[in-house]
Amino acid sequence: MVTIEGTVEEIVFANEANGFTVCDVSCNKELVTVVGYMPFLSAGETVKLSGKWTTHPDYGEQLKVEYYEKVLPCTETMIYKYLASGVIKGIRAATAEKIIDAFGDKALDIIEKEPQKLAEIKGISAKKAAEIGQAFAEQIGVRSVVMFLQQYGVTPNYAVKAYKIFGSDAIEQIKHNPYILSQEVHGIGFKTADKIAISMGIEVNAPERVKAGTKYVLTHSSAGGHTFLPRDFLIRSAAELLQVSEEEVENAIIAMRIEKTIYVESGEETEGVYLTPFHYAEMGVALRLAVLNDIEPPAGQQDIAGEIELIERETGVTLAQQQREAVKESLMSGVLVITGGPGTGKTTTINAIIKLMEKRGYSIVLGAPTGRAAKRMSEMTGKEAKTIHRLLEIGYMDEESRLEFAKNETDPLEADVVIIDETSMVDILLMNGLLKAIAQGTRLILVGDVDQLPSVGPGNVLGDIIKSGEVKVIKLTEIFRQAQESMIIVNAHKINRGEYPHLNVKEKDFYFMGRENAADTAASIVDLCKHRLPAFYDYHPTRSIQVLTPMRKSTVGVQNLNIELQKALNPPGKDKKEKTYRDMIFQESDKVMQIKNNYNMQWEKLRDGEEGTGVFNGDVGYIESIRNEESVMIVIFDDDKKVKYDFNQLDELELAYALTVHKSQGSEFPVIVMPMFQGPPMLMSRNLFYTAVTRARELVVLVGQEKVMKLMVDNNREIKRYSGLERKLVNSGEKGVGCEEWVGEQLILNNEG
């Protein structure tokens, strides 16, 4: 092992995602080429490097670094070079010279310990002096955390996130409990935190480790849609993961129950173990729906039929019997669910309800789970619709996964009627947040297709509400004559009934292209998007056509299709900037998707300059520009939001030329193209196929093997979600809203949660 010390003269190459760097270092008046993982290195910095000499066939002798540390410069010349390099935000060459003139070789001590003294220098205000001191302190803090975590294989980006979350004492907090990394830092999993903990000497059966692992199993299951796990299953799973006894997991559950980290609920067959916020959310939804459903009958009930007839005459639309019933029940019921497949008149029904409510002088608020769904609702109704998050004025999500909204019990939505579309996408936490903001006496109308995939987040909200029988449900089943002209709608209903769709009917909108292997299937999908559909139908390759696939991996999965479609639809160009992040290459004009909720991400609307926060899982947009000199990427989303991403936030984005069907929920596209090729049985299901087909407005093209398409139609197996909402809704109905003792108990619980 060789150790050298010198000054970084030039950064030849740096991968910001993993910290791999090639640089030239001046050591004893010689220039040495150094390679290795050295994150956040800048020209002008002094470094101490340990490694081995190697000979590269093209570049000659190099020092391959195994360990490095930054050394603060000590002479005036070295300090000037360091400051002038721009490594500290707010200092460039001219300012560096002034600082050296004033403080000489004590300059860095002054910046670190007495930054206010910088304000004695002409041109540096007190505010700027404080900013320089803060930037230097953060740099030292970040550097320490990066150096500490890199020895455990944690990449620099995640180390920076850890520093931002835990602050200047990040290392001490991590040493005290390494598992806070997996609990607080998005992207660092339990297994990484566990590896760090074990390497620090934490015992395999240490109580903190067993509790963290048990919580991880519950958290991981919530990502699969479960709000709880059966106690026996949780104990077995955690014991197997941690390689400890089931008794030790049982002890951890008891301790976590005392700490109120989890809630254990008795069921008919087994005890269910919840992360506490999910239990409170289910209780809150059950209670609040019961309260909202208890509403005074409206005045003039005898006039409702006449009012509906008047609306029909004014609009020239004759409602079917089920639609009339839905419009009437929107007045008679405190909570109403309207469900039905495509072409059954949900939009017509909503518009009739809006007109009826407006004629009675009621104020109406419209909402949907995603930006795309809200935009479509606005187009369908001619009224403003917002995302639920915007309706509720999102604040943040805290460490216990509780959504914080400005609109709540103390400051509810100002509306007589709230109508929510695409309710099948709403998870239990969001539904609880929404219901908190709806005052008693307000009518709530939930619209959605219960046969689509359930929400990406935990819970089976719409399905549980319908199955409980505790609120009025109108299921629209009649397919209207105009809708019958569309093979998309006809086939969607056939698929939902377990029947095979009609294929390639002349001059219709549902086509199948047979391909026998995955490579040909992928190639045909690329050709359809780039050449055939734009040429024959004048569809835009990225803005009109969306590739949907059941899976992420394989030749016809999201990952590979995105690479192939990017090459074809947005190839590299001389004037097109790009940014490599991990295994992805982002380019200007790329189609991208946000893959996690970020409640604090700032945005600005292009059209009117409106500002706000919050970018959400499933939002799709396009890269406007990549500014390497600022280390930022600008994305314009479909709902006109302009968002600036720092390069260390790029783990929140993915290419979106191809999406999984799950990620497409709530969206609608002129054209969908979908591979029909064998994948994991749990993904090759009827309701996933149905959901994909119902995303298309004008054209569906399936590519692959017809036998796979038939297999999906035949596979009606739905993956069970552990959810307790249906039972709680039934219990709330049995208790009765007038039962003050029960209601009071639940209000206390929900105020805690």
Side-chain angles (χ1 to χ4, degrees), residues 262-385:
I262 61 172
Y263 189 95
V264 180
E265 183 175 280
S266 297
E268 294 177 4
E269 299 178 0
T270 182
E271 288 186 318
V273 184
Y274 288 80
L275 290 171
T276 303
F278 295 141
H279 169 71
Y280 285 148
E282 284 189 352
M283 295 297 285
V285 168
L287 167 69
R288 292 182 174 92
L289 283 175
V291 170
L292 288 173
N293 204 34
D294 185 35
I295 199 167
E296 289 291 326
Q301 293 182 47
Q302 65 278 5
D303 299 329
I304 296 177
E307 293 174 66
I308 294 173
E309 289 176 8
L310 178 60
I311 290 168
E312 288 179 311
R313 289 197 298 273
E314 289 175 350
T315 59
V317 175
T318 301
L319 299 175
Q321 183 56 41
Q322 291 171 335
Q323 291 175 308
R324 282 198 191 92
E325 185 183 359
V327 176
K328 178 183 177 182
E329 285 297 334
S330 70
L331 273 175
M332 301 297 294
S333 304
V335 180
L336 172 66
V337 173
I338 301 172
T339 185
T344 56
K346 293 193 296 293
T347 299
T348 302
T349 305
I350 292 172
N351 283 329
I353 289 171
I354 290 171
K355 288 191 176 297
L356 178 63
M357 297 297 181
E358 287 179 337
K359 283 181 178 294
R360 288 193 166 228
Y362 293 162
S363 59
I364 305 166
V365 163
L366 306 181
T370 67
R372 278 176 175 255
K375 183 178 179 181
R376 196 170 76 249
M377 193 180 191
S378 295
E379 293 167 352
M380 292 187 312
T381 62
K383 308 287 183 182
E384 182 185 20

Side-chain angles (χ1 to χ4, degrees), residues 33 262 305 352 399 484 500 516 547 631-632 654 694:
T33 299
I262 61 172
E399 70 279 0
Q484 291 173 359
Y500 302 140
E516 285 308 308
V547 176
S631 296
V632 298
E654 282 185 357
T694 56

Side-chain angles (χ1 to χ4, degrees), residues 19 82 91 253 287 320 325 333 346 483 569 575 595 599 655 670 730:
Y82 171 73
I91 301 178
I253 289 174
L287 167 69
E325 185 183 359
S333 304
K346 293 193 296 293
L569 305 180
D575 299 324
I595 59 170
Y599 302 99
L655 295 175
V730 171

